[in-house]
Amino acid sequence: MKNIEAATYRVDTEIKLSDLNTREDLESSDKKLRKALESVRIELGEFQDTLYAHAKYSVLICLQGTDTAGKDSLIREVFKDFNARGVVVHSFKVPTELELKHDYIWRHYIALPAKGKFGVFNRTHYENVLVTRVHPEYIMNEHIPGIHSVDDIYQSFWDKRFEQINNFERHIADNGTIIFKFFLHLSKEEQRQRLLRRLELRKKNWKFSPGDLKERLIWDEYQKCYEDALNNTSKPHAPWFVIPSDNKKAARLIVASILHEELKKYKDIREPELDDKIKANLEEYKKQLENE
C-alpha cells in the first residue's frame, strides 16, 4: 500500500484545485483499505482516552466539501472506535433566528470541544465565506451595520472575514485546541454519479434534494470560493488538508492517518501521574480490597 504522509495533502503554498487529484486509490484493494482504517482508528481511540485523562488539549476537526463528498460516512467510519463521551459532532445548517442575532462565529464558538474531547464540525464556520459568498443575498439576514444591500459587499468584506476567521483559530489554538481542517475534494463527475445513486436506490432517496442540482450549475464558482478559502486560511496552527475523495474508502484512511501522524507529535499528552502519596500506598489499597 502507498505510504500516507500528511505533508502530501497539507496546503503549505498557494494551490489551484484544478491541479489537484480527486481520486487516490493508495495502490490497494478495498479490503486492505478497510483493514488499514480499522488499525488506525483503534490507535486514535486509544489516543482519545489519553487526551481525555490528560484534559489540557481539545481537538477540533473541520470537514468541508460539496454535497455528496462523503462527510457523514467519513465521520461514522473514522470515529467508530472512540468512546462516545469523548467525541461530539456538530452539523451546521441554515442559521436559526437566535444565531442570526449574534455574529457569524458565535454558534461555532459555543460548539467548540471541551478540553479532553474531540469535536467534529460537519460543515463549519467556513460556510460564511463559501455559501454566503456564492449567494451574497444571505448576508442580508445577518443585519450587519453598513451593509444595506449586496452592492455594499466588496472584496474587502471577504478579506476581512478571512482575517477574522484566522484570528478566531489563532485564539483557540493558543488556548489548547488542536485544529485540523479537511477539504474533501470531489470531482463533478463523481458527484453526478452519487446523485444518480440517490435517485436510483430507494433507501437513498431521502438524501436527494433538487437544490443540489441548482448548486451544480454554479460548480465553478464554488470551486473558486473553496480555493480562496484554502489559500487564505491555511496556517501552521490550523492547516488545511485537501483530501482526494472520489474513492471514499481511501479518503477515510487518509484523514485517519493524518490525524494519527500529527497527534503523535504531542509528546506531552499522556496519562496523568498518580499523586506520590497514593502511589506509595498502592499495595496497601490492594490488600484492603483483597481482604474484604
Side-chain angles (χ1 to χ4, degrees):
M1 183 184 296
K2 182 179 177 181
N3 191 39
I4 298 171
E5 296 181 355
T8 303
Y9 307 96
R10 185 187 292 113
V11 177
D12 289 324
T13 59
E14 188 165 316
I15 55 99
K16 284 184 66 65
L17 285 175
S18 59
D19 293 337
L20 302 181
N21 292 334
T22 59
R23 174 169 289 277
E24 185 86 271
D25 295 321
L26 299 177
E27 302 170 5
S28 186
S29 66
D30 284 355
K31 183 178 180 179
K32 289 182 178 179
L33 290 172
R34 283 195 299 269
K35 286 290 185 182
L37 176 59
E38 288 173 8
S39 177
V40 176
R41 75 186 182 204
I42 287 172
E43 294 194 43
L44 283 174
E46 292 172 351
F47 176 87
Q48 182 261 309
D49 284 339
T50 304
L51 181 85
Y52 185 84
H54 185 249
K56 291 185 179 179
Y57 290 94
S58 59
V59 179
L60 175 64
I61 298 161
C62 299
L63 299 177
Q64 283 290 160
T66 60
D67 291 316
T68 77
K71 298 181 289 297
D72 291 336
S73 61
L74 185 149
I75 293 168
R76 182 189 68 233
E77 296 300 322
V78 170
F79 300 101
K80 189 174 286 186
D81 288 303
F82 276 49
N83 188 316
R85 71 180 180 179
V87 58
V88 180
V89 179
H90 291 275
S91 296
F92 293 100
K93 306 296 185 182
V94 176
T96 65
E97 182 179 353
L98 173 62
E99 289 167 345
L100 287 170
K101 289 181 178 179
H102 294 269
D103 69 272
Y104 68 94
I105 291 180
W106 177 78
R107 66 175 181 158
H108 305 284
Y109 193 90
I110 62 174
L112 288 172
K115 291 184 186 298
K117 294 194 175 186
F118 276 66
V120 183
F121 283 2
N122 183 355
R123 297 191 184 274
T124 71
H125 43 293
Y126 284 92
E127 293 294 289
N128 297 284
V129 289
L130 293 169
V131 174
T132 53
R133 193 170 180 189
V134 175
H135 299 284
E137 63 273 15
Y138 294 168
I139 292 291
M140 304 313 299
N141 295 327
E142 297 182 25
H143 304 293
I144 300 172
I147 304 295
H148 306 293
S149 73
V150 294
D151 295 332
D152 296 321
I153 305 173
Y154 303 105
Q155 179 59 41
S156 59
F157 176 88
W158 304 112
D159 292 338
K160 187 68 174 178
R161 285 216 159 172
F162 289 139
E163 181 184 357
Q164 291 165 345
I165 288 172
N166 286 331
N167 290 339
F168 163 63
E169 292 174 349
R170 176 79 266 178
H171 171 68
I172 63 174
D174 286 345
N175 285 276
T177 299
I178 304 168
I179 305 169
F180 295 90
K181 300 180 297 193
F182 297 104
F183 172 63
L184 305 187
H185 190 27
L186 190 72
S187 68
K188 191 175 184 181
E189 173 56 22
E190 179 62 21
Q191 188 196 55
R192 187 178 75 88
Q193 294 296 333
R194 292 181 186 182
L195 288 172
L196 279 172
R197 282 196 291 276
R198 288 182 178 183
L199 292 170
E200 293 166 351
L201 299 177
R202 184 178 296 276
K203 66 179 182 179
K204 290 185 179 290
N205 284 171
W206 68 272
K207 290 186 174 184
F208 179 77
S209 168
D212 294 339
L213 302 184
K214 291 181 179 179
E215 296 299 274
R216 271 180 66 80
L217 297 175
I218 46 177
W219 174 276
D220 291 342
E221 194 171 344
Y222 266 108
Q223 293 297 297
K224 178 63 169 64
C225 290
Y226 278 120
E227 199 172 275
D228 283 351
L230 297 173
N231 286 327
N232 280 282
T233 62
S234 190
K235 306 295 179 182
H237 60 276
W240 274 107
F241 297 90
V242 178
I243 310 300
S245 296
D246 283 4
N247 181 333
K248 285 188 176 183
K249 293 181 178 64
R252 295 165 190 162
L253 177 57
I254 292 169
V255 168
S257 298
I258 290 172
L259 289 172
H260 185 240
E261 176 185 337
E262 295 299 298
L263 289 171
K264 283 194 303 182
K265 296 176 181 178
Y266 289 82
K267 302 299 183 184
D268 58 326
I269 298 179
R270 55 183 181 271
E271 292 181 359
E273 293 285 338
L274 279 175
D275 179 89
D276 288 342
K277 186 176 180 180
I278 296 176
K279 192 184 297 185
N281 289 285
L282 287 180
E283 287 302 317
E284 179 61 30
Y285 301 141
K286 183 179 177 182
K287 286 178 184 178
Q288 287 181 33
L289 290 168
E290 288 175 341
N291 292 332
E292 281 186 2

